[in-house]
Amino acid sequence: MGVVKDRRRQRPHDWTPDQDLLDQQLEAATDPSRVERMRRELEMGFAALSDIHDGVAVFGSARTPEDDPEYALARELGRRLGEVGFAVITGGGPGAMEAANRGAQEGGAMSIGLTIDLPFETGQNPHLDLPLNFHYFFTRKVMFVRYSRAFVVLPGGFGTLDELFEALTLIQTRKIRSFPVVLVGADFWAPLIDWLRDRVLASGKISPEDMERFVLVDSAAAAVEIVEAACGPS
């Protein structure tokens, strides 16, 4: 109990009554058991998604309310992608992810959600044809990259930025083939792009060609046009 008491003193804002049980489970885990769980998650994802050849990953905030114009934008994006033959893959949660999955179903597309175990967000949204749940972020990321032919990134927070820069890093380092990375929403993304150009590029931290690894658009139609031109459904 001493460990739990110390943790409560250090982080009272995120301790819950269930933390005792969770701590015991974590302490009981071993490295071999963690590796086994990672293996099972990878095998599960590969088996479930093996028939997905025309997926497009759509990222965006879980906190986008249904009455927000960004929700309507994500829904239109999912619908347009579905209408031209792409499966839509999201994080499976609420907000912009829900909207994109909802639009995908409206467009007649396969709607896929790769959910993640989190203590502070609700589970999968109700617009999924194929829901898959992951414990580890990295195994989930493998599925996004392996089964997506493009990334379309709507306004979002840390998780959205994480997926964006993960993709750009993998493309930059040639760990994966280059594929379209489309940012949607000029008002939201322009300041970040300015910072990348004026600070990161200007100080030599990235190369000029790195600024060409993504494209900025301001509508769902423009995003789908880019994706379809670069990698139309097979």
Side-chain angles (χ1 to χ4, degrees):
M1 291 298 295
V3 173
V4 175
K5 288 180 180 178
D6 287 344
R7 187 166 295 151
R8 291 184 66 178
R9 286 198 296 269
Q10 294 167 5
R11 300 187 303 168
H13 58 285
D14 60 12
W15 184 89
T16 70
D18 293 331
Q19 193 65 44
D20 291 338
L21 176 60
L22 294 174
D23 288 339
Q24 292 170 13
Q25 291 174 341
L26 288 173
E27 290 167 3
T30 63
D31 286 346
S33 69
R34 292 186 181 98
V35 170
E36 175 61 19
R37 184 170 187 175
M38 295 170 194
R39 183 188 65 81
R40 291 198 307 267
E41 287 199 359
L42 290 169
E43 288 182 346
M44 176 271 292
F46 289 144
L49 298 170
S50 61
D51 292 331
I52 303 300
H53 304 294
D54 294 310
V56 172
V58 178
F59 300 102
S61 176
R63 305 182 185 187
T64 303
E66 190 170 352
D67 59 355
D68 192 306
E70 290 176 4
Y71 187 100
L73 176 64
R75 185 174 175 181
E76 180 188 359
L77 175 64
R79 176 179 57 78
R80 286 179 177 272
L81 286 169
E83 288 173 345
V84 297
F86 290 105
V88 172
I89 308 173
T90 78
M97 293 176 284
E98 172 188 308
N101 287 128
R102 183 177 178 181
Q105 289 186 330
E106 292 168 346
M110 172 68 78
S111 176
I112 301 166
L114 311 182
T115 60
I116 186 78
D117 292 333
L118 294 176
F120 53 83
E121 284 186 3
T122 57
Q124 67 191 45
N125 70 65
H127 302 286
L128 302 177
D129 301 312
L130 178 58
L132 301 175
N133 188 63
F134 293 84
H135 177 73
Y136 294 104
F137 272 107
F138 87 90
T139 57
R140 180 178 181 244
K141 286 179 178 180
V142 169
M143 302 306 147
F144 278 122
V145 173
R146 173 66 180 85
Y147 294 101
S148 299
R149 302 183 66 189
F151 277 17
V152 181
V153 191
L154 297 156
F158 284 163
T160 301
L161 293 170
D162 178 46
E163 299 291 357
L164 168 61
F165 283 106
E166 173 89 4
L168 293 176
T169 300
L170 291 173
I171 293 171
Q172 179 200 53
T173 57
R174 300 183 183 179
K175 288 294 186 180
I176 61 172
R177 59 179 172 78
S178 180
F179 60 70
V181 177
V182 185
L183 308 180
V184 186
D187 287 346
F188 185 86
W189 294 112
L192 174 62
I193 294 173
D194 290 343
W195 177 78
L196 288 172
R197 182 186 61 247
D198 298 340
R199 298 299 299 272
V200 185
L201 175 62
S203 61
K205 305 298 189 297
I206 58 175
S207 302
E209 57 266 27
D210 292 327
M211 294 297 295
E212 300 175 2
R213 301 189 192 280
F214 56 86
V215 61
L216 175 64
V217 301
D218 217 19
S219 70
V224 174
E225 182 179 353
I226 290 170
V227 172
E228 190 175 19
C231 49
S234 57

